[in-house]
């Protein structure tokens, strides 16, 4: 694609990157076939190719409007189009650049600005969000249905292993997972302990930064990355093997740290090392299959009523981290029979804050995903990302669990 970027961005880091991405696009349209919003709305401007054209026009000097911003807002950042693209167009990075520029040129006002400001303030702060979530959980049955669906029942992390191991991986507690689903990290800690690995958390680490980045506050996301690197660095220097991510959304974002901090002389090298050291928990567990297999073989057989399981592969896992088949293999080894899930590449509609800011589209995607997941008659649904878990659980009576919780339960049986 031929480009003629405007002076305001041509010679910047963002401009050079945007130009390289734009030149890769051959407008083939394969991306529209796997774009959730294009499938729902059928509007070229609500698909990747149309949004690329919109961003290109703005970067070439055209004046964006609120309608331009709306089409960019409607994107889920699911990155399904990147998996489909035969030309390797890094659409998600172009989208981040475009959104940041449009946000500056078309400032938000009123309730839209207020809601986004509230989300940027509340969600990344684990203590604030945790207090609000506990309050909601304490009066959950009194909440209106729509709000109750976003508040899971109060739960606990379960027993903590007391053994120490020479092998250590650093976990990210995150901002919403500790209060919504504390047993996810609890289960991961117990599973890794059985595999001879100690999972530790670094004091001072917090939100990965994805919330702020996707709400067009790139500098805030960089601050989150710097804070986390500072917290993790002493443990990495002391010999920790790496970082283990139990939320695929966080893991996908942490892999962007080197890119986010590429122009920061104090953090660029450290960020690159963090990226190289980051693993999804499924990768860490799968690497220990020789130890895991006999443990699973010693477990009691699953009852027929428990065996059927639907796995929802989060966009951040399959499109962001490019991990496909790993979790499925682990669940199969644990005795589960996985049901077929139609359109498994499509987003469930959670997408971070999308379910709040684009509620109508999110609900349509949620309904489609629930229908696909339940079509095979599973006893439960497994996922790999906290946001997807909460979003799906709000629309079904089937239990929705992180797959590491299911593996932990099997190893305890």
């Amino acid at each position: 694609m031929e480009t003629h970027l405007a002076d305001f961005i041509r010679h910047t880091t963002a401009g050079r990157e945007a130009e390289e991405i734009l030149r890769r696009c051959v407008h083939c349209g394969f991306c529209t076939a796997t774009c959730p919003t294009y499938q729902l709305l059928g509007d070229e401007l609500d698909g990747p190719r149309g949004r690329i054209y919109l961003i290109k026009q703005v970067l070439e000097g055209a004046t964006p409007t609120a309608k331009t911003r709306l089409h960019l807002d409607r994107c889920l950042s699911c990155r399904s189009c990147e998996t489909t693209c035969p030309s390797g167009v890094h659409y998600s990075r172009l989208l981040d650049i475009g959104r940041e520029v449009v946000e500056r040129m078309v400032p938000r006002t009123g309730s839209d600005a207020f809601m986004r400001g509230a989300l940027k303030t509340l969600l990344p702060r684990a203590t604030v969000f945790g207090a609000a979530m506990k309050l909601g959980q304490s009066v959950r049955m009194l909440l209106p249905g729509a709000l109750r669906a976003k508040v899971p029942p109060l739960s606990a992390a379960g027993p903590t292993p007391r053994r120490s191991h020479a092998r250590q991986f650093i976990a990210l507690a995150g901002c919403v997972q500790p209060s919504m689903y504390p047993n996810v990290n609890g289960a991961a800690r117990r599973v890794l302990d059985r595999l001879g690995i100690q999972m530790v958390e670094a004091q001072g680490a917090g939100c990965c930064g994805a919330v702020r980045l996707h709400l067009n506050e790139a500098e805030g996301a960089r601050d989150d990355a710097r804070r986390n690197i500072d917290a993790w660095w002493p443990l990495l220097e002391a010999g920790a093997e790496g970082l283990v991510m139990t939320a695929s959304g966080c893991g996908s974002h942490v892999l962007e740290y080197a890119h986010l901090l590429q122009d920061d002389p104090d953090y660029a090298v450290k960020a690159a090392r963090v990226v190289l050291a980051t693993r999804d928990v499924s990768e860490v567990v799968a690497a220990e299959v020789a130890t895991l297999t006999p443990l699973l073989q010693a477990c009691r057989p699953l009852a027929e009523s428990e065996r059927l399981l639907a796995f929802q592969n989060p966009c951040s896992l399959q499109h962001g981290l490019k991990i496909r088949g790993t979790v499925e293999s682990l669940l199969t080894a644990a005795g589960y029979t996985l049901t077929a899930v139609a359109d498994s590449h499509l987003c469930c509609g959670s997408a971070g804050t999308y379910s709040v800011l684009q509620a109508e589209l999110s609900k349509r995607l949620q309904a489609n995903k629930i229908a696909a997941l339940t079509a095979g008659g599973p006893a439960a649904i497994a996922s790999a990302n906290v946001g997807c878990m909460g979003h799906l659980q709000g629309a079904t009576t089937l239990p929705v669990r992180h797959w590491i919780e299911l593996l932990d339960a099997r190893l305890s049986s």
Side-chain angles (χ1 to χ4, degrees), residues 35-375:
C35 174
T37 51
Y38 181 81
Q39 296 303 308
L40 289 181
L41 302 172
D43 186 334
E44 178 75 11
L45 297 180
D46 284 313
R49 183 170 61 178
R51 293 184 181 112
I52 287 172
Y53 275 114
L54 288 176
I55 294 168
K56 177 178 182 290
Q57 289 173 344
V58 171
L59 299 185
E60 290 182 333
T63 302
T65 65
K67 190 171 184 291
T68 308
R69 192 181 64 198
L70 175 62
H71 288 301
L72 300 188
D73 285 349
R74 283 178 178 164
C75 179
L76 293 135
S77 300
C78 70
R79 300 175 66 175
S80 180
C81 56
E82 292 183 11
T83 297
T84 309
C85 180
S87 302
V89 174
H90 205 146
Y91 167 82
S92 58
R93 286 187 179 168
L94 181 66
L95 180 69
D96 288 338
I97 294 167
R99 279 175 165 170
E100 189 173 4
V101 171
V102 171
E103 189 92 358
R104 289 198 305 266
M105 299 175 78
V106 189
R108 299 181 189 274
T109 59
S111 59
D112 186 23
F114 175 80
M115 178 61 74
R116 289 169 181 270
L119 290 170
K120 285 188 283 191
T121 300
L122 174 64
L123 292 182
R125 292 177 167 81
T127 53
V128 177
F129 180 83
M133 180 57 63
K134 285 181 180 178
L135 176 62
Q137 290 169 327
S138 68
V139 295
R140 185 174 181 271
M141 298 312 298
L142 303 177
L143 298 175
L147 183 56
R148 189 188 315 129
K150 295 184 180 297
V151 179
L154 189 66
S155 59
T160 300
R162 300 195 177 277
R163 296 188 299 175
S164 295
H165 300 284
R167 298 182 63 192
Q168 290 190 341
F169 272 83
I170 309 164
L172 175 66
C175 48
V176 303
Q177 190 166 274
S179 54
M180 291 183 70
Y181 298 105
N183 191 49
V184 172
N185 269 15
R189 188 175 285 109
R190 289 186 291 274
V191 170
L192 293 181
D193 175 66
R194 292 183 178 99
L195 300 176
I197 299 170
Q198 187 172 4
M199 194 175 101
V200 298
E201 292 178 7
Q203 291 295 320
C207 177
C208 67
V211 170
R212 289 191 174 95
L213 184 67
H214 294 152
L215 288 173
N216 308 321
E217 191 184 327
E219 196 51 48
R222 292 187 187 97
D223 287 340
D224 288 335
R226 294 183 187 104
R227 180 205 58 228
N228 287 342
I229 291 170
D230 286 342
W232 296 331
W233 198 253
L235 293 174
L236 287 172
E237 289 285 89
E241 283 188 43
L243 295 125
V244 58
M245 298 291 158
T246 56
S248 59
C250 296
S252 180
H253 182 71
V254 170
L255 289 190
E256 298 294 326
Y257 276 13
H259 174 259
L260 278 172
L261 299 174
Q262 61 185 321
D263 294 327
D264 188 323
D266 296 323
Y267 284 88
V269 173
K270 289 182 177 181
R273 179 176 170 187
V274 162
V275 168
L276 291 173
T278 297
R279 300 285 183 275
D280 183 73
V281 65
S282 64
E283 297 177 289
V284 177
V285 173
E288 307 302 321
V289 67
T291 304
L292 178 65
T293 299
L295 295 177
L296 289 173
Q297 290 173 341
C299 296
R300 68 165 178 82
L302 279 168
E304 190 68 32
S305 60
E306 301 175 287
R307 196 168 295 154
L308 278 183
L309 181 69
F311 177 59
Q312 179 259 342
N313 194 338
C315 300
S316 49
L317 189 68
Q318 61 174 314
H319 303 308
L321 295 174
K322 310 296 185 188
I323 296 175
R324 304 178 191 90
T326 302
V327 174
E328 294 92 327
S329 296
L330 291 169
L331 289 171
T332 300
Y336 291 100
T337 299
L338 301 185
T339 62
V341 178
D343 295 325
S344 60
H345 61 286
L346 292 180
C347 184
C348 70
S350 172
T353 58
Y354 195 91
S355 63
V356 176
L357 298 173
Q358 302 291 334
E360 191 272 332
L361 289 176
S362 176
K363 286 178 181 177
R364 291 171 65 181
L365 291 168
Q366 179 192 54
N368 291 344
K369 183 60 70 174
I370 289 294
L373 289 166
T374 57

